[in-house]
Amino acid sequence: MNKYPFDFDPKQSFISQASDWIADVFYEKLPEAGFEIRDEQIYMAFQLERAYADKQTIFAEAGVGTGKTFVYLLYAITYARYTRKPAIIACADESLIEQLVKPEGDIAKLARYLDLTIDARLGKSADQYICLKKLDQARSGQDDAELFDSIYRELPSFVHKQDSMQSFHPYGNRKEYPNLNDEQWNQLGWDVFQDCLVCDVRHRCGQTLSRDHYRKAADVVICSHDFYMEHVWTYEARKREGQLPLLPEHSSVVFDEGHLLETAAQQALTYKLNHAVFEGIVTRLLQEEIRESLAVAVEDAITQSEFLFKMMNKHSRKVQASDRREIIWSTELIREINRLQDTLSVIEEELVFESGLYTIDTYQLKIVEEHLEMIQFALSLFKKEDKPISWVSEDKEGTSLVIMPKWVKEVLKEQVFSRKMPIVFSSATLSVNGSFDYMMDILGMDSAISFSVPSPYDYEQQMTVATPDMGLFPSINEKMAETFRLLTKSGGRSLLLFPSMEQLEQFKTEAAKHAAAASFTFYYEGSSEISYLIEQFQHDEASILCAVTLWEGLDIPGPSLSQVIVWELPFPPNDPLFAARRNDAEQPFEQVDMPYMLLRLRQGIGRLIRRREDSGSIIIFGEKMNESYVREQVEQILPKGVALSH
């Protein structure tokens, strides 16, 4: 593999030479391969030259069809070869990753048309892999045991044997099991309660083996926003424990669909506490030869933890349109949290003495100490004046307390934006009303360079946008009737976007009752692996795809996607995370709800026109479209020349 795709002169600036070659690519090489010269693409290339030359953060807002992916890939790859450290391309979710690396995706196109060998490897999140321990449990369960047993039997032979592996190939990826629905996958996929450090099959685990593979990438590692932020958050802890960080040292970062990074950052900083997991870890101490005082402390902590989680479950209420339960705080609840902390402190003090006696296995001791430290830190956040965002969730592990610090800005500022390297935020929607202040504020940035280039498409001729005239408060039956009328008119070929899974499930239930339902093929997010659903939708031209997470990144050119129906305006959910943001805002609706909704709606609208030959319609439902302020704001984000009609 040639180090650079151009003749490099070490006496001159590398970035300026790379920029000259990239200009040649867009002016000559790609047009020779059949691509059109796009002024927006070339302008973006010169803007990124500034970011890479000065190692700055840049907001690169480029409309649909500008070819922004080619631009950032070329800079990222050439700079990676110059620094001898790979670039990180962080995408908003797994479906966007698949679109980037698929055989006909942008990386493959660049390699083919520029005669490049590009070493791009996937760094997928842990929850995208089978957990061998959970698979064993699922095989012995009552539901789908035969299905899970067949999955077990089809695993590579080295997983079942104790002899050394002769060769390696990746396995256990969520994408390899497209027909499993989300509920089935959750029974065997990794989750945060798996203690990988003490797992006896971790060295044969698909997640571990794939991690070893992608760390050796020369050019690009592609991962999700969530995974990158988990890397940032666990970097120091993993080094302390003698482990490698999740991602290798890298030369630059590109956040594709960068407007979603804040959500990923908050998820990465989230603590999830669960009584069953806590009990399972600390009872390891009781299996050792320990002093009676430590055994009593462990028993007290287990009792207090069990009592606290029962209280949490009792003192919480369901949040509508959310899978979270809001905690009803009281003096009594805070008192019980403090009592648990006190019992944990006793264990920690006892462990200091016990470690000097060498009666506890050092490795086990370290695991318990790390877990106690995590719980203590998470619970201590409640003692701060600025209380954390918290809620209760219920799953097969029982009741869990989820704690999310509010100081995401500070973490991003210190551990991401303070690094002297190029950081690119790429998206068609990074500004609100022409300003990048909203993004800079939620990410905690002091400064960044930025630019906007519009889409080259003629939206006035290619797109219509309408909101049905259904009165102030249309019933679900009226919305269903209008939706099926629209689907019949378009012959399917539609993407239905929902703000929440709860609304999607409601639509799915009602659609099954409708007389015309049998005339259409519906694909519902959650029923299969997401990239598999997208592929089916694209190939089945008259089908309908119903989704919650595909407001961004979905790229389906041609007649398969000729209509986008927005089931409700995508205002942020009514959950503790956004409740906290609203509480901190002087004008919650204008400062929190509207910017979030407008950015997401712009993304949803962008799913329709993906090529110059595309055309179609956008239909926007929503009671708030009857409010003049909301309607005016929606009209302002529509592409130039496109009017909103009934």
Side-chain angles (χ1 to χ4, degrees):
M1 178 170 59
N2 293 329
K3 185 174 181 182
Y4 306 121
F6 54 87
D7 294 327
F8 172 56
D9 183 353
K11 296 179 182 179
Q12 298 183 34
S13 162
F14 172 81
I15 293 298
S16 63
Q17 292 178 76
S19 183
D20 289 342
W21 173 75
I22 291 171
D24 289 340
V25 168
F26 292 125
Y27 279 120
E28 299 176 9
K29 297 181 184 295
L30 289 181
E32 288 174 2
F35 290 81
E36 63 179 292
I37 296 177
R38 298 174 180 172
D39 292 338
E40 299 88 357
Q41 203 172 36
I42 294 165
Y43 177 78
M44 178 178 175
F46 284 116
Q47 295 299 314
L48 257 61
E49 179 185 3
R50 295 168 55 202
Y52 275 84
D54 300 332
K55 300 183 179 64
Q56 291 192 68
T57 297
I58 184 169
F59 286 114
E61 184 177 60
V64 176
T66 54
K68 53 184 174 290
T69 308
F70 275 10
V71 182
Y72 73 60
L73 279 174
L74 289 172
Y75 272 102
I77 291 167
T78 52
Y79 193 66
R81 296 184 179 185
Y82 175 64
T83 59
R84 300 185 180 181
K85 293 186 289 187
I88 304 294
I89 310 296
C91 300
D93 56 38
E94 301 297 334
S95 64
L96 289 168
I97 291 175
E98 293 295 340
Q99 296 211 43
L100 191 62
V101 301
K102 61 187 179 182
E104 67 276 17
D106 286 335
I107 291 177
K109 288 177 182 176
L110 280 181
R112 182 165 63 251
Y113 295 125
L114 302 181
D115 194 25
L116 287 174
T117 300
I118 301 173
D119 185 7
R121 307 189 188 189
L122 289 181
K124 289 206 166 191
S125 301
D127 60 6
Q128 293 296 304
Y129 290 93
I130 284 175
C131 170
L132 296 176
K133 292 294 188 182
K134 286 183 67 176
L135 178 57
D136 279 342
Q137 295 172 7
R139 289 168 60 210
S140 60
Q142 296 181 348
D143 298 326
D144 300 315
E146 185 175 339
L147 169 65
F148 296 133
D149 197 54
S150 68
I151 291 173
Y152 174 81
R153 292 194 303 270
E154 292 169 2
L155 294 176
S157 59
F158 64 75
V159 177
H160 308 301
K161 299 177 181 178
Q162 294 303 312
D163 52 353
S164 60
M165 292 179 290
Q166 299 301 311
S167 63
F168 160 71
H169 65 273
Y171 81 92
N173 189 327
R174 172 72 171 101
K175 195 176 187 311
E176 297 170 27
Y177 306 95
N179 293 317
L180 294 182
N181 59 39
D182 286 356
E183 184 178 348
Q184 290 169 326
W185 177 257
N186 289 338
Q187 292 186 62
L188 56 84
W190 182 92
D191 61 51
V192 295
F193 294 129
Q194 303 311 305
D195 194 355
C196 299
L197 288 176
V198 295
C199 179
D200 58 342
V201 292
R202 65 187 181 278
H203 297 304
R204 297 174 184 274
C205 168
Q207 176 200 157
T208 304
L209 295 174
S210 296
R211 190 168 292 171
D212 292 339
H213 176 70
Y214 72 67
R215 280 199 181 104
K216 299 171 184 174
D219 293 328
V220 176
V221 177
I222 303 156
C223 66
S224 66
H225 289 180
D226 292 352
F227 194 51
Y228 187 82
M229 292 314 306
E230 186 182 353
H231 159 76
V232 169
W233 185 233
T234 62
Y235 183 85
E236 292 298 334
R238 292 181 71 87
K239 289 184 70 175
R240 278 200 313 270
E241 295 168 5
Q243 301 179 68
L244 288 172
L246 294 179
L247 292 168
E249 288 298 315
H250 42 278
S251 52
S252 65
V253 183
V254 177
F255 293 112
D256 201 347
E257 303 298 353
H259 63 286
L260 297 174
L261 180 64
E262 187 215 13
T263 301
Q266 288 189 301
Q267 290 173 348
L269 295 177
T270 295
Y271 297 91
K272 192 171 183 180
L273 311 185
N274 179 279
H275 170 69
V277 175
F278 167 72
E279 184 176 13
I281 289 178
V282 296
T283 50
R284 294 174 184 173
L285 298 175
L286 300 179
Q287 299 169 11
E288 308 283 347
E289 295 182 3
I290 59 174
R291 293 171 299 115
E292 183 180 355
S293 56
L294 175 56
V296 171
V298 169
E299 294 289 356
D300 288 345
I302 291 172
T303 301
Q304 178 60 23
S305 172
E306 184 176 23
F307 179 69
L308 175 61
F309 277 93
K310 284 181 178 177
M311 281 193 66
M312 286 283 181
N313 200 32
K314 182 180 178 181
H315 294 269
S316 60
R317 59 189 168 209
K318 180 78 171 70
V319 176
Q320 189 177 2
S322 172
D323 58 357
R324 299 168 178 175
R325 294 175 61 85
E326 179 185 3
I327 299 172
I328 306 169
W329 287 106
S330 65
T331 305
E332 182 186 9
L333 202 52
I334 293 293
R335 184 173 66 246
E336 297 306 326
I337 287 176
N338 292 335
R339 282 180 177 170
L340 178 57
Q341 282 198 280
D342 291 341
T343 60
L344 297 181
S345 296
V346 173
I347 296 178
E348 288 174 322
E349 291 171 4
E350 291 286 343
L351 286 177
V352 172
F353 185 82
E354 198 78 37
S355 62
L357 300 177
Y358 301 101
T359 55
I360 303 176
D361 177 78
T362 305
Y363 195 66
Q364 293 286 355
L365 179 63
K366 186 176 182 181
I367 296 299
V368 174
E369 287 177 334
E370 289 281 346
H371 195 73
L372 292 179
E373 182 182 343
M374 181 273 290
I375 295 175
Q376 287 281 41
F377 181 78
L379 294 178
S380 69
L381 296 174
F382 289 112
K383 296 182 179 179
K384 295 181 177 293
E385 184 177 343
D386 191 16
K387 292 286 189 294
I389 303 163
S390 56
W391 63 88
V392 168
S393 64
E394 192 74 29
D395 52 33
K396 61 182 178 60
E397 298 287 348
T399 301
S400 295
L401 170 61
V402 185
I403 304 169
M404 180 184 290
K406 288 184 179 179
W407 31 264
V408 171
K409 290 183 183 181
E410 287 79 357
V411 174
L412 287 171
K413 188 173 183 178
E414 293 174 10
Q415 301 188 37
V416 178
F417 302 125
S418 65
R419 298 188 63 185
K420 193 65 175 173
M421 69 175 179
I423 300 176
V424 180
F425 284 82
S426 174
S427 175
T429 56
L430 290 168
S431 64
V432 178
N433 296 326
S435 170
F436 294 90
D437 290 347
Y438 174 72
M439 286 298 303
M440 291 185 65
D441 178 59
I442 65 175
L443 293 171
M445 284 188 195
D446 292 329
S447 63
I449 54 179
S450 61
F451 70 91
S452 294
V453 290
S455 170
Y457 298 148
D458 185 358
Y459 285 103
E460 187 174 3
Q461 298 300 317
Q462 293 176 261
M463 174 191 289
T464 62
V465 182
T467 179
D469 188 5
M470 302 178 63
L472 291 177
F473 304 105
S475 67
I476 182 67
N477 290 333
E478 290 174 318
K479 285 184 72 173
M480 294 299 299
E482 177 64 13
T483 299
F484 271 95
R485 186 190 71 78
L486 293 166
L487 294 176
T488 301
K489 182 180 178 182
S490 65
R493 301 181 177 85
S494 299
L495 169 68
L496 267 72
L497 291 172
F498 298 84
S500 70
M501 188 59 73
E502 188 174 80
Q503 291 189 49
L504 182 147
E505 291 294 341
Q506 182 189 34
F507 175 86
K508 184 177 180 179
T509 300
E510 295 298 325
K513 304 174 186 176
H514 204 279
S519 305
F520 300 101
T521 299
F522 286 92
Y523 296 107
Y524 291 99
E525 181 174 349
S527 62
S528 297
E529 193 268 333
I530 190 68
S531 62
Y532 172 77
L533 287 175
I534 293 170
E535 184 180 351
Q536 295 297 108
F537 171 63
Q538 186 168 15
H539 291 158
D540 186 353
E541 186 176 305
S543 63
I544 299 152
L545 178 60
C546 302
V548 175
T549 64
L550 296 179
W551 296 79
E552 296 88 9
L554 182 67
D555 186 15
I556 307 289
S560 290
L561 206 173
S562 299
Q563 180 173 245
V564 175
I565 298 177
V566 177
W567 183 250
E568 283 285 344
L569 288 175
F571 284 103
N574 181 28
D575 66 11
L577 172 58
F578 283 97
R581 293 185 191 176
R582 294 182 186 106
N583 289 337
D584 292 340
E586 292 183 8
Q587 297 176 299
F589 187 71
E590 290 79 3
Q591 295 175 325
V592 177
D593 292 59
M594 282 301 293
Y596 177 94
M597 184 276 287
L598 293 172
L599 281 176
R600 201 137 206 237
L601 183 60
R602 282 176 65 193
Q603 282 287 340
I605 290 171
R607 298 314 99 214
L608 182 66
I609 307 299
R610 308 304 298 179
R611 301 291 185 272
R612 290 192 186 277
E613 299 78 22
D614 289 350
S615 63
S617 58
I618 305 284
I619 307 298
I620 304 175
F621 286 102
E623 294 173 6
K624 283 195 170 291
M625 288 298 290
N626 294 307
E627 297 179 16
S628 58
Y629 171 71
V630 173
R631 190 180 181 90
E632 288 169 6
Q633 293 293 306
V634 169
E635 288 175 334
Q636 288 182 20
I637 66 166
L638 297 180
K640 186 177 179 181
V642 177
L644 179 64
S645 62
H646 280 297

